[in-house]
Each structure stands twice: as structure tokens, then as C-alpha cells.
Amino acid sequence: MITMDDVIREGHPTLRLTAEEITFPLDSSVSKLAEDMLQFLIDSQNPETAEKYGLRAGVGIAAPQVDVSKRLIAVHVPSQNEETSEAELSSVMFNPKIMSHSVQQTCLPDGEGCLSVDREVSGYVPRHKRITVQYQDAEGIRHKIRLKDFPAIVVQHEIDHLNGVMFYDRINPNNPLALPDDIDVLGTTEA
């Protein structure tokens, strides 16, 4: 089980590396890591489990955040529809890559957070509003999905981790609260 003690924090050199491509078939340690990363996100969103194990709620995690420099991310984005308890996006992605993206940008109204950052960082983080992502599943089969709005932001944040980029690298250093022209600030969704 992954806990917050396994999550490395900003300043750790692994967070600034470009992660290695994953080869198939997966070895058992990578396969287990992928399962554990997704389970961590599910557990972190369950109030009782999160409290019991001291987990911070997260919607995405990348392997470099647990000190494994491999191109692997897990995302578990809850549905905004209160009628269903199903996740809007719940996936483990091996070697994810953004194949195309919209010109239009979006951002979260309250900025972004990160399991590897223990401090508040104010500022808007511009992201592509829509992306097409190609990735492989645990069997090595390629998939392509289109995402928009919050799920697209989450996946872009995690792919950044695979490239040694932290979310605050994307904040305007001269004016963190300046909104780029024609950016769509998402409604009330929080990171």
C-alpha cells in the first residue's frame, strides 16, 4: 500500500528527471506499482480510509512521485454527477503521450495542488482545454482517448511529472494571478 510517506516532495531530484519509457511485457514490480498507485488514489478519496492512513486526497499520481522514474501515471477523477458513484476517468496509463491539443486554454479557479508539494502555491496554471492522449494498458495494447476540462488538466499535470515539470513552472512568474487572453476558467471544480 502506498502512503504519504512513499510520496517524495519537491526538491527531490527524481521529480526533475525525464522518466524512462516502459517496456513490455511488464515486470511484476511495475505491474504492482501501477495497481498500488490507482488504489492509493481511490483510498485517498475515501474519507474513512484517508483519515485512517493519513492520506491527502488526490486525483492523479505519477511514478516519479513515488521515486520511480518510469513513464507511468494513474488517474481517478470522480464524476461531477452526484447521481452516480462511478469515476469519470479511472485509469493507469503506461507511456502516455499527448498527440494533439486544443488552442484554447483552461485553468482551475483556485490554481493546482500536488501530492509532492506541501505548500500553497497561488497562481493560475494554463492548460490545454482538450487533449488527445495515446497510452498503453498493462498488456501493452495502445489506446487513444479524448479528454476535456478537469480530466484533461489532471492528465496534463501527471504527464508533466514524467518530463520533470512541476505545475508551478507553468505559472506566470511576473504576475501569477494574470489570466491569459481567451482562457476558460473552469467552474467550481477543485484540484
Side-chain angles (χ1 to χ4, degrees), residues 20 22 53 59 74 84 102 108 134 148 167 169 173 185 187 189:
E20 296 173 20
I22 291 175
Y53 295 104
V59 289
T84 176
S102 63
L108 298 174
Q134 179 179 286
K148 68 177 187 174
F167 76 91
D169 297 341
V185 180
T189 310

Side-chain angles (χ1 to χ4, degrees), residues 76-95:
H76 187 74
V77 180
S79 173
Q80 300 305 308
N81 179 352
E82 269 112 47
E83 308 276 314
T84 176
S85 61
E86 288 181 22
E88 182 173 344
L89 175 65
S90 187
S91 182
V92 173
M93 300 179 186
F94 299 87
N95 303 320

Side-chain angles (χ1 to χ4, degrees), residues 30-144:
V30 174
S31 185
K32 171 115 175 63
L33 175 63
E35 292 170 17
D36 289 350
M37 286 168 52
L38 185 58
Q39 190 59 53
F40 168 84
L41 296 174
I42 293 166
D43 290 344
S44 79
Q45 293 175 30
N46 177 315
E48 288 143 21
T49 309
E51 185 178 344
K52 179 177 178 181
Y53 295 104
L55 306 178
R56 276 176 47 200
V59 289
I61 191 168
Q65 291 181 272
V66 290
D67 204 13
V68 177
S69 191
K70 300 259 188 208
R71 299 191 78 77
L72 164 62
I73 67 173
V75 292
H76 187 74
V77 180
S79 173
Q80 300 305 308
N81 179 352
E82 269 112 47
E83 308 276 314
T84 176
S85 61
E86 288 181 22
E88 182 173 344
L89 175 65
S90 187
S91 182
V92 173
M93 300 179 186
F94 299 87
N95 303 320
K97 184 176 182 182
I98 296 172
M99 304 304 287
S100 64
H101 59 77
S102 63
V103 173
Q104 185 180 17
Q105 293 186 310
T106 190
C107 67
L108 298 174
D110 299 323
E112 292 183 18
C114 180
L115 294 168
S116 293
V117 178
D118 290 332
R119 61 190 172 94
E120 288 284 321
V121 180
S122 64
Y124 294 112
V125 183
R127 301 279 186 189
H128 300 293
K129 185 170 178 63
R130 289 177 299 285
I131 58 173
T132 299
V133 179
Q134 179 179 286
Y135 67 95
Q136 290 167 278
D137 64 21
E139 281 75 49
I141 298 167
R142 291 191 190 281
H143 299 269
K144 198 184 277 190

